Amino acid sequence: MSRPTPRLRTAIPLLGRTFRRFAPHLRQQRRLLVLGLLALIAEVGLRLVEPWPLAYVIDTLARAAGADVRAARTGSDLQTTLIICALALLGAVALRAAASYAMTVLFALAGNRVLARVRSELYDHLNSLSLRFHQSRRIGDLVTRVTGDVGRLQEAVVTAMLPLVGNVITLLGMFVVIVIMDVWLALVVLVVFPVFFLLGTRSTHKIITVSRSQRSAEGALASLATESLGAMPVVTSYSLQERMNDRFATGNDRALKDSVKGKRLSAGLERSTDVLVGLATCLVLFVGAQRVLAGDLSIGELTVFLTYLKTAFRPLRDIAKYTGRISKAAASGERITEILDQHPDIADTSWARPAPRLLGYVEFDGVRLSYGPGRPALRGLDLTIRAGERVAVVGPSGAGKSSLAALITRLREPDSGRVLIDGHDLRDLTLESVRSQVAVVLQDSVLFAGTIADNIGYGIGRPATSEEIVEAARIAGADGFISALPQGYQTELADRGVGLSGGQRQRIAIARAAIRQAPIVILDEALTGLDPDTEAEVVAALGRLTRGRTTVVITHDHRVAADADRVLWIEGGVLIADGHPDQVLQQVPDEVMS
Ligand code: ADP
Ligand code: MG
């Protein structure tokens, strides 16, 4: 998570790449963006105009003072001019406020909409990526990308990119006006810039370094907190609280120190900019006064000059702030596009068609599967499972049993060979149409936050009716304990179903599988880890779930295997024996079965 934060010079092109990636979303907001840009230009133009009425008043007064002041004071011409100038000033200020308001709102709206879409796209994309991708990534990191990084990009665009663009345009505009007014004075201002630039980049670099370190400290803190809070039973039973607290405090201190240091640096930069602005003002005042005395510049124009100087330097002071944010945003943008550029390695082929309603005749034809070079999991598996047959798969841990199951739902694709269902090569069928016809119950059944009814209903790709849900729960033998809960099916489950026993969780997972009415059912060690009391109920539930369906039961339980129509004994990715339970089970070493 602690990727180095790029510097501004690399950050801008990086952000450019990110925005090109977001171009379709940006195009959708074209109207808002164009309006916002117009408002921005109007705002800058008005900012340039603002000092002029004042200049005009000063010059008029000076001229009048040079003539007869008392006569001038009553002259109606002069009064009219003054009133017009005052109104013009008021008008400019009011219009600028309106333009600035419109600009802020329009850009914020466009930015938020674009990034909300990006966030959805990112989340959808993560869901579409294959198991292979997810097993190689840390969940926390992915979550940070969806929430933190998108948020940071959003904030940076609205609070740094746009003001920066506005300020740069303002600076350019002011400089053009200054050059037109008086080239010599413009040169004086130009001398101060390099000094400012040097000062600015040096501190900016330091600030970025500090904020990078702060970011990584915060990342480590977040990881520590997620880990320890997610494993509260372990932390408590091993009395790790003290040690966790210490580690947290140390990390917290580091983050705090960095944050204070960053603040000090940027405060320092702001103050030195103030001094520099003072110096520039002092120079312009002196040189400008000479030019006024020489008659090359009016007093009003000098005033405009000084006002511009003040306005122009204020945003410069913020550049450190902006660059920090922009550099961080660039890093975030990169983290987002990196995910979006990943392609799922298992996807529908161009010729894939939706599967018809399957009977459940499964064939493996010379199937080889490996997880990287030198890590074979299945070495040439030939196998047929008849529709409606109940097959137990036994073998030691690491034999390749789960890999076999993963091939049926095409979570993995064979390196060579074919997997067929009802005679269709799985690659000829769409993923969704196959997966929706296979129900899977795993050892660790994951329940989602939400009601029990929701969790069961997730089993089908459309909203389930309450009859379907209750029926599925009956099959799973879960209806009894669910109805006994005060809120019944509407009981909210905490994270991962905490608050239910292992057997209850498992039966909800079985209900989720049952509601699918799938012709093929896979049970991957669905009984492992249950206590004997609930085991009987779960076994009965699984029996009802799999009745009349093609069933693959991966198990270490002797009785469950003996109950099957056929037993496959796999070891080291090779099918060792395949036949009637009585035949096969007597060959299987005792330590494999319990
Ligand atoms: P079983 O379910 O029989 O315990 P698996 O099918 O899970 O076995 O694993 C078979 C082999 O493949 C094992 O050697 C295991 O280490 C390896 N394996 C399984 N999943 C992965 C993975 N995601 N990445 C790398 N190797 C894996
Ligand atoms: Mg397994």
Side-chain angles (χ1 to χ4, degrees), residues 332-369:
S332 291
E334 198 189 16
R335 280 158 57 82
I336 294 166
T337 45
E338 194 250 329
I339 302 283
L340 291 177
D341 290 343
Q342 299 273 342
H343 295 291
D345 54 0
I346 299 179
D348 283 337
T349 53
S350 56
W351 61 88
R353 282 172 299 109
R357 176 76 193 167
L358 298 171
L359 297 171
Y361 182 76
V362 181
E363 289 169 89
F364 281 68
D365 176 15
V367 171
R368 288 175 174 277
L369 174 70

Side-chain angles (χ1 to χ4, degrees), residues 409-454:
T409 44
R410 215 167 144 221
L411 289 176
R412 299 272 175 193
E413 222 151 37
D415 300 340
S416 63
R418 297 183 303 161
V419 180
L420 304 99
I421 300 184
D422 290 6
H424 305 283
D425 189 320
L426 284 188
R427 280 168 291 207
D428 297 339
L429 302 175
T430 60
L431 277 171
E432 164 57 27
S433 69
V434 173
R435 288 185 185 156
S436 66
Q437 298 196 55
V438 183
V440 181
V441 182
L442 304 172
Q443 178 181 349
D444 292 313
S445 288
V446 174
L447 301 182
F448 300 97
T451 65
I452 291 183
D454 288 341

Side-chain angles (χ1 to χ4, degrees), residues 401-402 524-525 554:
K401 305 182 297 295
S402 298
D524 192 347
E525 312 204 13
I554 298 173

Side-chain angles (χ1 to χ4, degrees), residues 445-499:
S445 288
V446 174
L447 301 182
F448 300 97
T451 65
I452 291 183
D454 288 341
N455 267 285
I456 297 177
Y458 283 147
I460 42 177
R462 55 176 170 82
T465 66
S466 50
E467 287 79 31
E468 285 174 313
I469 290 171
V470 173
E471 173 59 23
R474 287 224 177 88
I475 293 175
D479 183 49
F481 82 82
I482 296 173
S483 301
L485 293 169
Q487 248 107 58
Y489 283 86
Q490 298 311 316
T491 306
E492 290 281 343
L493 297 180
D495 213 10
R496 298 179 77 95
V498 175

Side-chain angles (χ1 to χ4, degrees), residues 49-73:
V49 166
E50 224 172 75
W52 283 100
L54 175 67
Y56 201 71
V57 168
I58 292 177
D59 283 346
T60 312
L61 287 180
R63 237 174 291 129
D68 182 353
V69 181
R70 228 165 315 162
R73 201 181 290 155

